[in-house]
Amino acid sequence: MKGSYILLLYLPQNVEIKTKAKMFALERGYYAYVGSAMNSLEKRVKRHFKKEKKLHWHIDYLTVRAKLLKAYLIPSNVKLEEELSMEMAKIGRVIKGFGASDLKVPGNLFYFNYDPEYLIEELLRSLRLNYLTFPTY
């Protein structure tokens, strides 16, 4: 399956995340990360849930420190990552420079001081996007 995804994470304490080239000071709270996988969407999302992995993408440096709560898988033959990030910026505070190096958006990570699950689901419905959740409850 091809498509995009949104990860919902909880960071229990303030941390500094150092990636290969950048440092991000992240505060305690909820985060949503927008990504895409135009080869194997399910495999990419399952990888994000693993704590033991080679750190490659910016999100890898966060998933080993935060609790990954849920993923929204959005099947599509079209890459929706940029559009989803623009829409997420309307409901969450963008963490500038986190991810999105190949896109025309300030970042792919968004901060919330409360659980944004309902807002994310409303956003996906308003965009008329079908989605699956992982893990399924």
PDB file of all heavy atoms in Angstrom, residues 77-115:
ATOM      1  N   ASN A  77      -2.360   6.938  -3.953  1.00  0.00           N
ATOM      2  CA  ASN A  77      -1.332   6.842  -4.991  1.00  0.00           C
ATOM      3  C   ASN A  77      -0.641   8.182  -5.208  1.00  0.00           C
ATOM      4  O   ASN A  77       0.326   8.278  -5.940  1.00  0.00           O
ATOM      5  CB  ASN A  77      -1.944   6.353  -6.307  1.00  0.00           C
ATOM      6  CG  ASN A  77      -2.317   4.891  -6.232  1.00  0.00           C
ATOM      7  OD1 ASN A  77      -1.611   4.090  -5.613  1.00  0.00           O
ATOM      8  ND2 ASN A  77      -3.425   4.529  -6.840  1.00  0.00           N
ATOM      9  N   VAL A  78      -1.162   9.223  -4.541  1.00  0.00           N
ATOM     10  CA  VAL A  78      -0.611  10.573  -4.624  1.00  0.00           C
ATOM     11  C   VAL A  78       0.020  10.906  -3.273  1.00  0.00           C
ATOM     12  O   VAL A  78      -0.554  10.628  -2.220  1.00  0.00           O
ATOM     13  CB  VAL A  78      -1.734  11.593  -4.945  1.00  0.00           C
ATOM     14  CG1 VAL A  78      -1.192  13.003  -4.980  1.00  0.00           C
ATOM     15  CG2 VAL A  78      -2.432  11.240  -6.242  1.00  0.00           C
ATOM     16  N   LYS A  79       1.189  11.530  -3.286  1.00  0.00           N
ATOM     17  CA  LYS A  79       1.868  11.926  -2.052  1.00  0.00           C
ATOM     18  C   LYS A  79       1.126  13.127  -1.446  1.00  0.00           C
ATOM     19  O   LYS A  79       1.080  14.198  -2.044  1.00  0.00           O
ATOM     20  CB  LYS A  79       3.319  12.272  -2.359  1.00  0.00           C
ATOM     21  CG  LYS A  79       4.182  12.409  -1.141  1.00  0.00           C
ATOM     22  CD  LYS A  79       5.648  12.571  -1.548  1.00  0.00           C
ATOM     23  CE  LYS A  79       6.530  12.707  -0.344  1.00  0.00           C
ATOM     24  NZ  LYS A  79       7.932  12.904  -0.732  1.00  0.00           N
ATOM     25  N   LEU A  80       0.546  12.931  -0.277  1.00  0.00           N
ATOM     26  CA  LEU A  80      -0.268  13.961   0.385  1.00  0.00           C
ATOM     27  C   LEU A  80       0.460  14.654   1.531  1.00  0.00           C
ATOM     28  O   LEU A  80      -0.120  15.496   2.212  1.00  0.00           O
ATOM     29  CB  LEU A  80      -1.549  13.328   0.934  1.00  0.00           C
ATOM     30  CG  LEU A  80      -2.467  12.661  -0.090  1.00  0.00           C
ATOM     31  CD1 LEU A  80      -3.578  11.889   0.612  1.00  0.00           C
ATOM     32  CD2 LEU A  80      -3.043  13.701  -1.025  1.00  0.00           C
ATOM     33  N   GLU A  81       1.714  14.320   1.751  1.00  0.00           N
ATOM     34  CA  GLU A  81       2.465  14.808   2.907  1.00  0.00           C
ATOM     35  C   GLU A  81       2.463  16.332   3.027  1.00  0.00           C
ATOM     36  O   GLU A  81       2.209  16.884   4.100  1.00  0.00           O
ATOM     37  CB  GLU A  81       3.894  14.277   2.818  1.00  0.00           C
ATOM     38  CG  GLU A  81       4.775  14.613   3.976  1.00  0.00           C
ATOM     39  CD  GLU A  81       6.165  14.005   3.817  1.00  0.00           C
ATOM     40  OE1 GLU A  81       6.390  13.162   2.919  1.00  0.00           O
ATOM     41  OE2 GLU A  81       7.030  14.407   4.604  1.00  0.00           O
ATOM     42  N   GLU A  82       2.720  17.022   1.941  1.00  0.00           N
ATOM     43  CA  GLU A  82       2.783  18.484   1.983  1.00  0.00           C
ATOM     44  C   GLU A  82       1.414  19.091   2.304  1.00  0.00           C
ATOM     45  O   GLU A  82       1.300  19.965   3.171  1.00  0.00           O
ATOM     46  CB  GLU A  82       3.310  19.022   0.652  1.00  0.00           C
ATOM     47  CG  GLU A  82       3.706  20.469   0.722  1.00  0.00           C
ATOM     48  CD  GLU A  82       4.566  20.877  -0.469  1.00  0.00           C
ATOM     49  OE1 GLU A  82       5.111  20.015  -1.180  1.00  0.00           O
ATOM     50  OE2 GLU A  82       4.687  22.087  -0.660  1.00  0.00           O
ATOM     51  N   GLU A  83       0.380  18.611   1.648  1.00  0.00           N
ATOM     52  CA  GLU A  83      -0.977  19.105   1.912  1.00  0.00           C
ATOM     53  C   GLU A  83      -1.387  18.832   3.370  1.00  0.00           C
ATOM     54  O   GLU A  83      -1.937  19.707   4.035  1.00  0.00           O
ATOM     55  CB  GLU A  83      -1.977  18.440   0.963  1.00  0.00           C
ATOM     56  CG  GLU A  83      -3.411  18.865   1.207  1.00  0.00           C
ATOM     57  CD  GLU A  83      -4.424  18.087   0.370  1.00  0.00           C
ATOM     58  OE1 GLU A  83      -4.043  17.334  -0.536  1.00  0.00           O
ATOM     59  OE2 GLU A  83      -5.627  18.260   0.656  1.00  0.00           O
ATOM     60  N   LEU A  84      -1.089  17.631   3.854  1.00  0.00           N
ATOM     61  CA  LEU A  84      -1.439  17.296   5.234  1.00  0.00           C
ATOM     62  C   LEU A  84      -0.685  18.178   6.232  1.00  0.00           C
ATOM     63  O   LEU A  84      -1.247  18.617   7.226  1.00  0.00           O
ATOM     64  CB  LEU A  84      -1.153  15.816   5.525  1.00  0.00           C
ATOM     65  CG  LEU A  84      -2.147  14.827   4.951  1.00  0.00           C
ATOM     66  CD1 LEU A  84      -1.617  13.401   5.076  1.00  0.00           C
ATOM     67  CD2 LEU A  84      -3.491  14.955   5.640  1.00  0.00           C
ATOM     68  N   SER A  85       0.582  18.453   5.950  1.00  0.00           N
ATOM     69  CA  SER A  85       1.354  19.322   6.848  1.00  0.00           C
ATOM     70  C   SER A  85       0.797  20.743   6.865  1.00  0.00           C
ATOM     71  O   SER A  85       0.730  21.376   7.922  1.00  0.00           O
ATOM     72  CB  SER A  85       2.836  19.326   6.458  1.00  0.00           C
ATOM     73  OG  SER A  85       3.429  18.110   6.813  1.00  0.00           O
ATOM     74  N   MET A  86       0.377  21.232   5.712  1.00  0.00           N
ATOM     75  CA  MET A  86      -0.226  22.574   5.673  1.00  0.00           C
ATOM     76  C   MET A  86      -1.516  22.610   6.492  1.00  0.00           C
ATOM     77  O   MET A  86      -1.777  23.576   7.210  1.00  0.00           O
ATOM     78  CB  MET A  86      -0.475  23.005   4.227  1.00  0.00           C
ATOM     79  CG  MET A  86       0.803  23.333   3.485  1.00  0.00           C
ATOM     80  SD  MET A  86       0.561  24.062   1.843  1.00  0.00           S
ATOM     81  CE  MET A  86      -0.174  22.723   0.943  1.00  0.00           C
ATOM     82  N   GLU A  87      -2.309  21.561   6.396  1.00  0.00           N
ATOM     83  CA  GLU A  87      -3.559  21.493   7.160  1.00  0.00           C
ATOM     84  C   GLU A  87      -3.292  21.313   8.650  1.00  0.00           C
ATOM     85  O   GLU A  87      -3.974  21.906   9.487  1.00  0.00           O
ATOM     86  CB  GLU A  87      -4.448  20.369   6.622  1.00  0.00           C
ATOM     87  CG  GLU A  87      -4.974  20.607   5.230  1.00  0.00           C
ATOM     88  CD  GLU A  87      -5.860  21.844   5.122  1.00  0.00           C
ATOM     89  OE1 GLU A  87      -6.651  22.115   6.053  1.00  0.00           O
ATOM     90  OE2 GLU A  87      -5.760  22.547   4.092  1.00  0.00           O
ATOM     91  N   MET A  88      -2.300  20.498   9.006  1.00  0.00           N
ATOM     92  CA  MET A  88      -1.966  20.287  10.421  1.00  0.00           C
ATOM     93  C   MET A  88      -1.479  21.582  11.065  1.00  0.00           C
ATOM     94  O   MET A  88      -1.712  21.819  12.248  1.00  0.00           O
ATOM     95  CB  MET A  88      -0.889  19.204  10.567  1.00  0.00           C
ATOM     96  CG  MET A  88      -1.379  17.790  10.315  1.00  0.00           C
ATOM     97  SD  MET A  88      -2.569  17.202  11.551  1.00  0.00           S
ATOM     98  CE  MET A  88      -1.536  17.173  12.998  1.00  0.00           C
ATOM     99  N   ALA A  89      -0.825  22.437  10.278  1.00  0.00           N
ATOM    100  CA  ALA A  89      -0.345  23.716  10.806  1.00  0.00           C
ATOM    101  C   ALA A  89      -1.490  24.618  11.245  1.00  0.00           C
ATOM    102  O   ALA A  89      -1.289  25.548  12.032  1.00  0.00           O
ATOM    103  CB  ALA A  89       0.523  24.417   9.768  1.00  0.00           C
ATOM    104  N   LYS A  90      -2.696  24.336  10.773  1.00  0.00           N
ATOM    105  CA  LYS A  90      -3.863  25.120  11.177  1.00  0.00           C
ATOM    106  C   LYS A  90      -4.387  24.709  12.544  1.00  0.00           C
ATOM    107  O   LYS A  90      -5.130  25.458  13.172  1.00  0.00           O
ATOM    108  CB  LYS A  90      -4.983  24.967  10.142  1.00  0.00           C
ATOM    109  CG  LYS A  90      -4.624  25.530   8.780  1.00  0.00           C
ATOM    110  CD  LYS A  90      -5.707  25.241   7.760  1.00  0.00           C
ATOM    111  CE  LYS A  90      -5.325  25.730   6.374  1.00  0.00           C
ATOM    112  NZ  LYS A  90      -6.341  25.386   5.360  1.00  0.00           N
ATOM    113  N   ILE A  91      -4.013  23.512  13.009  1.00  0.00           N
ATOM    114  CA  ILE A  91      -4.535  23.033  14.291  1.00  0.00           C
ATOM    115  C   ILE A  91      -3.452  22.803  15.345  1.00  0.00           C
ATOM    116  O   ILE A  91      -3.756  22.670  16.524  1.00  0.00           O
ATOM    117  CB  ILE A  91      -5.387  21.748  14.120  1.00  0.00           C
ATOM    118  CG1 ILE A  91      -4.559  20.595  13.566  1.00  0.00           C
ATOM    119  CG2 ILE A  91      -6.611  22.026  13.256  1.00  0.00           C
ATOM    120  CD1 ILE A  91      -5.280  19.260  13.557  1.00  0.00           C
ATOM    121  N   GLY A  92      -2.191  22.751  14.922  1.00  0.00           N
ATOM    122  CA  GLY A  92      -1.091  22.526  15.861  1.00  0.00           C
ATOM    123  C   GLY A  92       0.035  23.504  15.594  1.00  0.00           C
ATOM    124  O   GLY A  92       0.082  24.141  14.546  1.00  0.00           O
ATOM    125  N   ARG A  93       0.948  23.620  16.548  1.00  0.00           N
ATOM    126  CA  ARG A  93       2.103  24.516  16.402  1.00  0.00           C
ATOM    127  C   ARG A  93       3.238  23.757  15.716  1.00  0.00           C
ATOM    128  O   ARG A  93       3.717  22.748  16.240  1.00  0.00           O
ATOM    129  CB  ARG A  93       2.566  25.033  17.759  1.00  0.00           C
ATOM    130  CG  ARG A  93       3.665  26.071  17.637  1.00  0.00           C
ATOM    131  CD  ARG A  93       4.096  26.582  18.987  1.00  0.00           C
ATOM    132  NE  ARG A  93       5.057  25.628  19.536  1.00  0.00           N
ATOM    133  CZ  ARG A  93       5.151  25.295  20.807  1.00  0.00           C
ATOM    134  NH1 ARG A  93       4.327  25.787  21.692  1.00  0.00           N
ATOM    135  NH2 ARG A  93       6.064  24.444  21.208  1.00  0.00           N
ATOM    136  N   VAL A  94       3.654  24.228  14.556  1.00  0.00           N
ATOM    137  CA  VAL A  94       4.699  23.555  13.796  1.00  0.00           C
ATOM    138  C   VAL A  94       6.049  23.685  14.506  1.00  0.00           C
ATOM    139  O   VAL A  94       6.367  24.731  15.068  1.00  0.00           O
ATOM    140  CB  VAL A  94       4.779  24.096  12.345  1.00  0.00           C
ATOM    141  CG1 VAL A  94       5.246  25.544  12.302  1.00  0.00           C
ATOM    142  CG2 VAL A  94       5.651  23.218  11.491  1.00  0.00           C
ATOM    143  N   ILE A  95       6.811  22.604  14.482  1.00  0.00           N
ATOM    144  CA  ILE A  95       8.191  22.613  14.963  1.00  0.00           C
ATOM    145  C   ILE A  95       9.035  22.819  13.702  1.00  0.00           C
ATOM    146  O   ILE A  95       9.232  21.898  12.911  1.00  0.00           O
ATOM    147  CB  ILE A  95       8.559  21.290  15.676  1.00  0.00           C
ATOM    148  CG1 ILE A  95       7.566  20.967  16.796  1.00  0.00           C
ATOM    149  CG2 ILE A  95       9.990  21.341  16.175  1.00  0.00           C
ATOM    150  CD1 ILE A  95       7.440  22.020  17.887  1.00  0.00           C
ATOM    151  N   LYS A  96       9.492  24.054  13.531  1.00  0.00           N
ATOM    152  CA  LYS A  96      10.170  24.444  12.295  1.00  0.00           C
ATOM    153  C   LYS A  96      11.451  23.635  12.083  1.00  0.00           C
ATOM    154  O   LYS A  96      12.242  23.467  12.991  1.00  0.00           O
ATOM    155  CB  LYS A  96      10.464  25.933  12.302  1.00  0.00           C
ATOM    156  CG  LYS A  96       9.193  26.737  12.205  1.00  0.00           C
ATOM    157  CD  LYS A  96       9.436  28.202  12.062  1.00  0.00           C
ATOM    158  CE  LYS A  96       8.093  28.858  11.819  1.00  0.00           C
ATOM    159  NZ  LYS A  96       7.953  30.122  12.423  1.00  0.00           N
ATOM    160  N   GLY A  97      11.589  23.134  10.855  1.00  0.00           N
ATOM    161  CA  GLY A  97      12.787  22.412  10.472  1.00  0.00           C
ATOM    162  C   GLY A  97      12.794  20.937  10.803  1.00  0.00           C
ATOM    163  O   GLY A  97      13.734  20.232  10.455  1.00  0.00           O
ATOM    164  N   PHE A  98      11.743  20.443  11.477  1.00  0.00           N
ATOM    165  CA  PHE A  98      11.696  19.027  11.836  1.00  0.00           C
ATOM    166  C   PHE A  98      11.025  18.267  10.695  1.00  0.00           C
ATOM    167  O   PHE A  98       9.833  18.392  10.466  1.00  0.00           O
ATOM    168  CB  PHE A  98      10.919  18.825  13.142  1.00  0.00           C
ATOM    169  CG  PHE A  98      11.155  17.479  13.776  1.00  0.00           C
ATOM    170  CD1 PHE A  98      11.997  17.367  14.870  1.00  0.00           C
ATOM    171  CD2 PHE A  98      10.549  16.338  13.276  1.00  0.00           C
ATOM    172  CE1 PHE A  98      12.224  16.131  15.465  1.00  0.00           C
ATOM    173  CE2 PHE A  98      10.768  15.105  13.861  1.00  0.00           C
ATOM    174  CZ  PHE A  98      11.613  14.996  14.948  1.00  0.00           C
ATOM    175  N   GLY A  99      11.822  17.478   9.972  1.00  0.00           N
ATOM    176  CA  GLY A  99      11.302  16.771   8.800  1.00  0.00           C
ATOM    177  C   GLY A  99      11.091  17.749   7.663  1.00  0.00           C
ATOM    178  O   GLY A  99      11.557  18.891   7.702  1.00  0.00           O
ATOM    179  N   ALA A 100      10.431  17.319   6.632  1.00  0.00           N
ATOM    180  CA  ALA A 100       9.998  18.176   5.522  1.00  0.00           C
ATOM    181  C   ALA A 100      11.134  18.845   4.756  1.00  0.00           C
ATOM    182  O   ALA A 100      10.926  19.861   4.122  1.00  0.00           O
ATOM    183  CB  ALA A 100       9.019  19.241   6.028  1.00  0.00           C
ATOM    184  N   SER A 101      12.326  18.291   4.800  1.00  0.00           N
ATOM    185  CA  SER A 101      13.437  18.927   4.084  1.00  0.00           C
ATOM    186  C   SER A 101      13.216  18.946   2.576  1.00  0.00           C
ATOM    187  O   SER A 101      13.772  19.785   1.874  1.00  0.00           O
ATOM    188  CB  SER A 101      14.751  18.223   4.419  1.00  0.00           C
ATOM    189  OG  SER A 101      14.669  16.853   4.078  1.00  0.00           O
ATOM    190  N   ASP A 102      12.383  18.042   2.081  1.00  0.00           N
ATOM    191  CA  ASP A 102      12.121  17.979   0.646  1.00  0.00           C
ATOM    192  C   ASP A 102      10.781  18.610   0.259  1.00  0.00           C
ATOM    193  O   ASP A 102      10.323  18.448  -0.860  1.00  0.00           O
ATOM    194  CB  ASP A 102      12.170  16.521   0.178  1.00  0.00           C
ATOM    195  CG  ASP A 102      11.169  15.626   0.897  1.00  0.00           C
ATOM    196  OD1 ASP A 102      10.731  15.990   2.014  1.00  0.00           O
ATOM    197  OD2 ASP A 102      10.833  14.565   0.354  1.00  0.00           O
ATOM    198  N   LEU A 103      10.165  19.338   1.197  1.00  0.00           N
ATOM    199  CA  LEU A 103       8.849  19.929   0.946  1.00  0.00           C
ATOM    200  C   LEU A 103       8.885  21.439   1.145  1.00  0.00           C
ATOM    201  O   LEU A 103       9.810  21.979   1.736  1.00  0.00           O
ATOM    202  CB  LEU A 103       7.807  19.326   1.900  1.00  0.00           C
ATOM    203  CG  LEU A 103       7.644  17.808   1.869  1.00  0.00           C
ATOM    204  CD1 LEU A 103       6.684  17.373   2.950  1.00  0.00           C
ATOM    205  CD2 LEU A 103       7.158  17.348   0.518  1.00  0.00           C
ATOM    206  N   LYS A 104       7.818  22.111   0.702  1.00  0.00           N
ATOM    207  CA  LYS A 104       7.714  23.564   0.861  1.00  0.00           C
ATOM    208  C   LYS A 104       6.861  23.922   2.063  1.00  0.00           C
ATOM    209  O   LYS A 104       5.989  24.774   1.987  1.00  0.00           O
ATOM    210  CB  LYS A 104       7.128  24.168  -0.413  1.00  0.00           C
ATOM    211  CG  LYS A 104       8.007  23.984  -1.623  1.00  0.00           C
ATOM    212  CD  LYS A 104       7.341  24.480  -2.884  1.00  0.00           C
ATOM    213  CE  LYS A 104       8.193  24.168  -4.088  1.00  0.00           C
ATOM    214  NZ  LYS A 104       7.490  24.347  -5.338  1.00  0.00           N
ATOM    215  N   VAL A 105       7.105  23.258   3.178  1.00  0.00           N
ATOM    216  CA  VAL A 105       6.417  23.560   4.432  1.00  0.00           C
ATOM    217  C   VAL A 105       7.487  23.735   5.507  1.00  0.00           C
ATOM    218  O   VAL A 105       8.589  23.202   5.378  1.00  0.00           O
ATOM    219  CB  VAL A 105       5.415  22.441   4.839  1.00  0.00           C
ATOM    220  CG1 VAL A 105       4.261  22.376   3.854  1.00  0.00           C
ATOM    221  CG2 VAL A 105       6.090  21.092   4.948  1.00  0.00           C
ATOM    222  N   PRO A 106       7.180  24.494   6.572  1.00  0.00           N
ATOM    223  CA  PRO A 106       8.191  24.746   7.609  1.00  0.00           C
ATOM    224  C   PRO A 106       8.589  23.507   8.412  1.00  0.00           C
ATOM    225  O   PRO A 106       9.665  23.462   8.974  1.00  0.00           O
ATOM    226  CB  PRO A 106       7.533  25.778   8.525  1.00  0.00           C
ATOM    227  CG  PRO A 106       6.326  26.266   7.824  1.00  0.00           C
ATOM    228  CD  PRO A 106       5.970  25.272   6.769  1.00  0.00           C
ATOM    229  N   GLY A 107       7.714  22.509   8.484  1.00  0.00           N
ATOM    230  CA  GLY A 107       8.033  21.308   9.251  1.00  0.00           C
ATOM    231  C   GLY A 107       6.920  20.288   9.147  1.00  0.00           C
ATOM    232  O   GLY A 107       5.813  20.594   8.702  1.00  0.00           O
ATOM    233  N   ASN A 108       7.236  19.064   9.579  1.00  0.00           N
ATOM    234  CA  ASN A 108       6.257  17.974   9.566  1.00  0.00           C
ATOM    235  C   ASN A 108       5.851  17.550  10.972  1.00  0.00           C
ATOM    236  O   ASN A 108       5.115  16.586  11.126  1.00  0.00           O
ATOM    237  CB  ASN A 108       6.839  16.749   8.851  1.00  0.00           C
ATOM    238  CG  ASN A 108       6.695  16.806   7.357  1.00  0.00           C
ATOM    239  OD1 ASN A 108       6.162  17.757   6.815  1.00  0.00           O
ATOM    240  ND2 ASN A 108       7.184  15.799   6.682  1.00  0.00           N
ATOM    241  N   LEU A 109       6.352  18.224  11.997  1.00  0.00           N
ATOM    242  CA  LEU A 109       6.035  17.881  13.382  1.00  0.00           C
ATOM    243  C   LEU A 109       5.233  19.028  13.993  1.00  0.00           C
ATOM    244  O   LEU A 109       5.585  20.196  13.821  1.00  0.00           O
ATOM    245  CB  LEU A 109       7.318  17.645  14.186  1.00  0.00           C
ATOM    246  CG  LEU A 109       7.137  17.184  15.618  1.00  0.00           C
ATOM    247  CD1 LEU A 109       6.510  15.788  15.680  1.00  0.00           C
ATOM    248  CD2 LEU A 109       8.473  17.184  16.349  1.00  0.00           C
ATOM    249  N   PHE A 110       4.180  18.653  14.743  1.00  0.00           N
ATOM    250  CA  PHE A 110       3.259  19.645  15.300  1.00  0.00           C
ATOM    251  C   PHE A 110       3.034  19.374  16.778  1.00  0.00           C
ATOM    252  O   PHE A 110       2.820  18.229  17.176  1.00  0.00           O
ATOM    253  CB  PHE A 110       1.928  19.609  14.527  1.00  0.00           C
ATOM    254  CG  PHE A 110       2.142  19.828  13.061  1.00  0.00           C
ATOM    255  CD1 PHE A 110       2.399  18.754  12.212  1.00  0.00           C
ATOM    256  CD2 PHE A 110       2.167  21.106  12.536  1.00  0.00           C
ATOM    257  CE1 PHE A 110       2.657  18.943  10.868  1.00  0.00           C
ATOM    258  CE2 PHE A 110       2.422  21.306  11.184  1.00  0.00           C
ATOM    259  CZ  PHE A 110       2.671  20.232  10.352  1.00  0.00           C
ATOM    260  N   TYR A 111       3.064  20.436  17.568  1.00  0.00           N
ATOM    261  CA  TYR A 111       2.923  20.330  19.026  1.00  0.00           C
ATOM    262  C   TYR A 111       1.497  20.658  19.462  1.00  0.00           C
ATOM    263  O   TYR A 111       0.857  21.565  18.926  1.00  0.00           O
ATOM    264  CB  TYR A 111       3.888  21.294  19.723  1.00  0.00           C
ATOM    265  CG  TYR A 111       3.645  21.380  21.200  1.00  0.00           C
ATOM    266  CD1 TYR A 111       4.095  20.379  22.051  1.00  0.00           C
ATOM    267  CD2 TYR A 111       2.931  22.443  21.753  1.00  0.00           C
ATOM    268  CE1 TYR A 111       3.847  20.432  23.408  1.00  0.00           C
ATOM    269  CE2 TYR A 111       2.683  22.504  23.104  1.00  0.00           C
ATOM    270  CZ  TYR A 111       3.136  21.502  23.924  1.00  0.00           C
ATOM    271  OH  TYR A 111       2.887  21.556  25.268  1.00  0.00           O
ATOM    272  N   PHE A 112       1.033  19.913  20.479  1.00  0.00           N
ATOM    273  CA  PHE A 112      -0.256  20.158  21.132  1.00  0.00           C
ATOM    274  C   PHE A 112      -0.057  19.982  22.638  1.00  0.00           C
ATOM    275  O   PHE A 112       0.635  19.056  23.067  1.00  0.00           O
ATOM    276  CB  PHE A 112      -1.311  19.134  20.669  1.00  0.00           C
ATOM    277  CG  PHE A 112      -1.572  19.145  19.196  1.00  0.00           C
ATOM    278  CD1 PHE A 112      -0.763  18.431  18.322  1.00  0.00           C
ATOM    279  CD2 PHE A 112      -2.631  19.872  18.669  1.00  0.00           C
ATOM    280  CE1 PHE A 112      -0.991  18.437  16.961  1.00  0.00           C
ATOM    281  CE2 PHE A 112      -2.873  19.878  17.304  1.00  0.00           C
ATOM    282  CZ  PHE A 112      -2.051  19.165  16.444  1.00  0.00           C
ATOM    283  N   ASN A 113      -0.673  20.826  23.438  1.00  0.00           N
ATOM    284  CA  ASN A 113      -0.568  20.649  24.892  1.00  0.00           C
ATOM    285  C   ASN A 113      -1.696  19.771  25.431  1.00  0.00           C
ATOM    286  O   ASN A 113      -1.840  19.629  26.636  1.00  0.00           O
ATOM    287  CB  ASN A 113      -0.500  21.992  25.625  1.00  0.00           C
ATOM    288  CG  ASN A 113      -1.717  22.848  25.387  1.00  0.00           C
ATOM    289  OD1 ASN A 113      -2.656  22.433  24.704  1.00  0.00           O
ATOM    290  ND2 ASN A 113      -1.709  24.048  25.932  1.00  0.00           N
ATOM    291  N   TYR A 114      -2.477  19.182  24.552  1.00  0.00           N
ATOM    292  CA  TYR A 114      -3.562  18.263  24.910  1.00  0.00           C
ATOM    293  C   TYR A 114      -3.622  17.194  23.820  1.00  0.00           C
ATOM    294  O   TYR A 114      -3.062  17.372  22.731  1.00  0.00           O
ATOM    295  CB  TYR A 114      -4.899  19.008  24.998  1.00  0.00           C
ATOM    296  CG  TYR A 114      -5.207  19.783  23.734  1.00  0.00           C
ATOM    297  CD1 TYR A 114      -5.871  19.181  22.675  1.00  0.00           C
ATOM    298  CD2 TYR A 114      -4.767  21.095  23.576  1.00  0.00           C
ATOM    299  CE1 TYR A 114      -6.113  19.871  21.491  1.00  0.00           C
ATOM    300  CE2 TYR A 114      -4.998  21.785  22.397  1.00  0.00           C
ATOM    301  CZ  TYR A 114      -5.669  21.170  21.365  1.00  0.00           C
ATOM    302  OH  TYR A 114      -5.883  21.846  20.197  1.00  0.00           O
ATOM    303  N   ASP A 115      -4.299  16.112  24.080  1.00  0.00           N
ATOM    304  CA  ASP A 115      -4.400  15.013  23.122  1.00  0.00           C
ATOM    305  C   ASP A 115      -5.189  15.478  21.892  1.00  0.00           C
ATOM    306  O   ASP A 115      -6.376  15.787  21.986  1.00  0.00           O
ATOM    307  CB  ASP A 115      -5.090  13.815  23.778  1.00  0.00           C
ATOM    308  CG  ASP A 115      -5.130  12.579  22.896  1.00  0.00           C
ATOM    309  OD1 ASP A 115      -4.885  12.681  21.685  1.00  0.00           O
ATOM    310  OD2 ASP A 115      -5.413  11.502  23.438  1.00  0.00           O
TER     311      ASP A 115
END
